[in-house]
């Protein structure tokens, strides 16, 4: 990951991040085509808790990760959802996505009790995420919905993301 810096989102980044998200998901078979719009809605509603970017040495944003609060059985429980995670196709397989996730988890760990993600178990398992049948997100195959506990007991129930996710 030579020449890449991970930092928190800054003001003008909000104009660039939707292009990064759209570019990253353009070739993804699981993409809905709404990923950039989700980001925009979360920002407009002020529902982002942590937003980090990966910046190449020439000041170009090449990746992004977002964390927003989720509810469990309709209640606020100090839990976050990770996503979307975006890395431009030309910059993949260089450790940028992993660095965004690791830095993001470190940034939120002290203020939140845990985090959920819908994604590849092999990738997210490296960071401590695991499937928990007691924590449910209806729809996709259950093994792709995973959680990591930062403190306290693992919650049980149905997870809902902010309304921006649809």
């Amino acid at each position: 990951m030579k020449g890449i810096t991970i930092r928190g989102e800054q003001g003008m980044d909000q104009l660039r991040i939707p292009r990064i998200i759209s570019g990253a998901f353009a070739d993804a078979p699981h993409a809905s085509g709404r990923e950039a719009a989700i980001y925009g809605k979360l920002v407009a509603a002020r529902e982002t808790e942590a937003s980090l970017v990966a910046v190449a040495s020439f000041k170009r944003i090449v990746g992004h990760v977002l964390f927003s609060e989720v509810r469990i059985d309709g209640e606020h429980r100090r839990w976050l959802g990770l996503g979307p995670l975006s890395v431009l196709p030309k910059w993949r397989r260089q450790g940028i996505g992993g660095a965004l996730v690791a830095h993001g988890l470190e940034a939120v760990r002290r203020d939140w009790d845990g985090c959920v993600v819908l994604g590849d178990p092999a990738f997210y398992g490296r960071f401590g995420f695991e499937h928990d049948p007691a924590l449910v997100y209806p729809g996709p195959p259950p093994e792709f919905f995973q959680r990591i506990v930062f403190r306290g007991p693992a919650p049980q129930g149905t997870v809902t993301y902010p309304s921006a996710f649809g």
Side-chain angles (χ1 to χ4, degrees), residues 29-157:
H30 63 278
S32 69
R34 299 182 5 249
E35 290 81 9
I38 290 169
Y39 167 80
K41 289 177 182 178
L42 288 168
V43 168
R46 297 181 183 206
E47 293 183 309
T48 63
E49 296 299 332
S51 182
L52 288 82
V53 294
V55 182
S57 57
F58 49 89
K59 309 276 190 252
R60 179 175 180 212
I61 296 174
V62 297
H64 172 256
V65 68
L66 183 68
F67 293 82
S68 55
E69 185 177 11
V70 296
R71 292 183 182 204
I72 302 171
D73 287 341
E75 298 178 12
H76 295 280
R77 301 260 189 102
R78 308 277 322 139
W79 274 69
L80 294 172
L82 184 164
L85 169 64
S86 311
V87 177
L88 290 173
K90 154 179 170 177
W91 293 88
R92 292 182 188 151
R93 307 249 184 264
Q94 298 181 40
I96 295 170
L100 283 163
V101 171
H103 280 80
L105 291 173
E106 189 59 35
V108 301
R109 185 177 303 273
R110 64 185 153 271
D111 296 324
W112 295 87
D113 293 342
C115 184
V116 295
V117 68
L118 181 61
D120 179 6
F123 177 77
Y124 289 104
R126 298 183 306 177
F127 305 98
F129 283 92
E130 58 189 5
H131 172 66
D132 180 350
L135 197 58
V136 178
Y137 181 65
E143 63 273 15
F144 288 90
F145 188 67
Q146 304 148 77
R147 57 103 172 121
I148 184 171
V149 178
F150 301 143
R151 71 179 62 75
Q156 298 180 4

